[in-house]
Amino acid sequence: TIGMVVLDKMGHTAAGTSTNGIKFKIPGRVGDSPIPGSGAYADDTAGAAAATGDGDILMRFLPSYQAVEYMRRGKDPTTACQKVIARIQKYFPNFFGAVICANVTGGYGAACNKLPAFTQFSFMVYNSLKSQPTEEKVDCI
Amino acid sequence: SSPLPLVLNTWPFRNATEAAWKTLALGGSSLDAVEGGCASCEVEQCDGTVGFGGSPDESGETTLDAMLMEGTTMNVGAVGDLRRIKNAIGVARKVLEHTTHTLLVGESATKFAQSMGFVDEDLSTKDSRALHSDWLAQNCQPNYWRNVIPDSSKYCGPYKPRSVFKQDGSIHKETGYGYGHD
């Protein structure tokens, strides 16, 4: 799955996802990606976020919407992303998932759920302070 | 100085980031940029979890999900379980622009896409067909069934509900990394 958030110079936000889901799914199964608030979410007055991972679990917690609401209340993007992951961990400690977050001033962050085979999450960043697309990593929590 | 504009995307899909940035640089909106970035992954398939030829379902078919959201008007267009159309994010854009709906799914979403001019084509590939036949050869493991007969942890379907609901407490199999994810 690709989850993407974009803010233009004026701070107009947009978010989106595209995926082919999970291998060997039962026909008809749809994951979190096309669900606004789960796969991705954007609101010019608060920020934008996108999620990736086990869609059957993520979908139930609306992680992208929740992250944006945390940023609306002043949390920085990394903290907002971490709080969303922590919420899901309580119910599904072994879920596979990651979230990216951006606030209205162009700050960004990410978080992921730590598993034995998944301890870091890579994501891409490109803004006016960089001269090219840059891969960044976060340690999972 | 402000760090805006900003392009941020999951996983190290560099070309998608580049495509979105170029769209902005050419005067496109943030929505155009997200569409362009996701579309480039649909063409390149990125890590196999985006676009045609990946994640065959139990019948061997690849179907696509996609969504676009615009944060100024809160307008959304989305497709789920889209069949035989490669540019899912493009169809999501048409849902956003040409309907007042939010989400179209399944075969009906494919009919909508055809009416919008998208080409109907087979999304499976040699790789996805091989993946599927290997899966069949391994008694359809792993799969996403539970409380059914025959035992889904050992056999392929078709399955019927097991008459006595076995209280195993698990309402979802936590799949962990590497098993399959969106």
Side-chain angles (χ1 to χ4, degrees):
Chain A
T1 301
I2 181 168
M4 178 176 279
V5 301
V6 171
L7 281 81
D8 67 15
K9 281 190 202 134
M10 310 301 292
H12 295 132
T13 59
T17 59
S18 186
T19 187
N20 49 41
I22 50 175
K23 288 196 279 284
F24 318 126
K25 59 194 175 192
I26 297 169
R29 179 267 184 186
V30 173
D32 64 307
S33 296
I35 311 299
S38 288
Y41 194 74
D43 178 341
D44 286 6
T45 63
T52 183
D54 184 335
D56 293 309
I57 292 180
L58 289 168
M59 179 192 291
R60 305 174 191 185
F61 293 85
L62 294 165
S64 299
Y65 169 81
Q66 190 58 48
V68 168
E69 289 308 306
Y70 281 133
M71 290 188 281
R72 187 191 304 279
R73 282 183 250 157
K75 296 294 184 213
D76 66 273
T78 298
T79 303
C81 271
Q82 289 176 344
K83 284 173 74 71
V84 157
I85 294 292
R87 270 185 176 226
I88 302 172
Q89 281 176 332
K90 283 201 208 87
Y91 296 88
F92 298 101
N94 297 313
F95 87 101
F96 174 65
V99 190
I100 54 173
C101 299
N103 65 19
V104 294
T105 57
Y108 62 86
C112 44
N113 182 39
K114 191 171 187 174
L115 296 172
F118 184 57
T119 56
Q120 271 194 335
F121 170 57
S122 288
F123 60 98
M124 296 300 298
V125 186
Y126 203 166
N127 65 19
S128 60
L129 307 181
K130 301 177 189 300
S131 54
Q132 61 176 334
T134 307
E135 179 179 350
E136 297 190 9
K137 294 175 191 273
V138 286
D139 291 327
C140 297
I141 56 171
Chain B
S1 68
S2 160
L4 295 179
L6 169 68
V7 175
L8 191 65
N9 61 271
T10 57
W11 307 113
F13 302 152
R14 175 180 300 270
N15 292 350
T17 322
E18 189 90 61
W21 187 264
K22 277 187 180 139
T23 303
L24 284 176
L26 294 171
S29 68
S30 45
L31 194 68
D32 297 333
V34 173
E35 182 183 358
C38 290
S40 85
C41 247
E42 288 175 348
V43 171
E44 296 179 3
Q45 303 170 294
C46 282
D47 64 352
T49 66
V50 185
F52 70 99
S55 302
D57 66 18
E58 288 190 328
S59 64
E61 183 178 1
T62 290
T63 60
L64 305 181
D65 306 334
M67 184 252 292
L68 277 168
M69 182 168 189
E70 206 262 313
T72 307
T73 59
M74 306 301 268
N75 208 352
V76 175
V79 287
D81 190 28
L82 180 66
R83 307 180 67 190
R84 302 187 312 280
I85 305 285
K86 281 190 172 176
N87 183 207
I89 197 80
V91 182
R93 183 69 184 256
K94 298 300 183 192
V95 173
L96 185 148
E97 285 181 349
H98 299 292
T99 82
T100 55
H101 292 326
T102 296
L103 171 62
L104 299 181
V105 300
E107 192 65 36
S108 302
T110 299
K111 288 192 170 63
F112 167 81
Q114 290 167 323
S115 72
M116 291 287 114
F118 290 83
V119 174
D120 184 312
E121 53 192 312
D122 181 5
L123 299 193
S124 66
T125 60
K126 187 164 61 68
D127 289 346
S128 67
R129 284 188 291 272
L131 204 58
H132 182 242
S133 53
D134 289 349
W135 179 73
L136 290 174
Q138 291 159 40
N139 296 318
C140 305
Q141 303 302 315
N143 63 60
Y144 294 92
W145 295 86
R146 63 193 186 97
N147 296 321
V148 290
I149 297 171
D151 182 344
S152 57
S153 69
K154 297 188 182 72
Y155 307 107
C156 291
Y159 303 107
K160 289 192 168 41
R162 185 182 300 142
S163 53
V164 176
F165 185 84
K166 190 178 127 202
Q167 279 299 349
D168 61 7
S170 64
I171 49 172
H172 175 81
K173 267 194 238 179
E174 286 174 58
T175 51
Y177 181 66
Y179 182 94
H181 59 80
D182 296 275

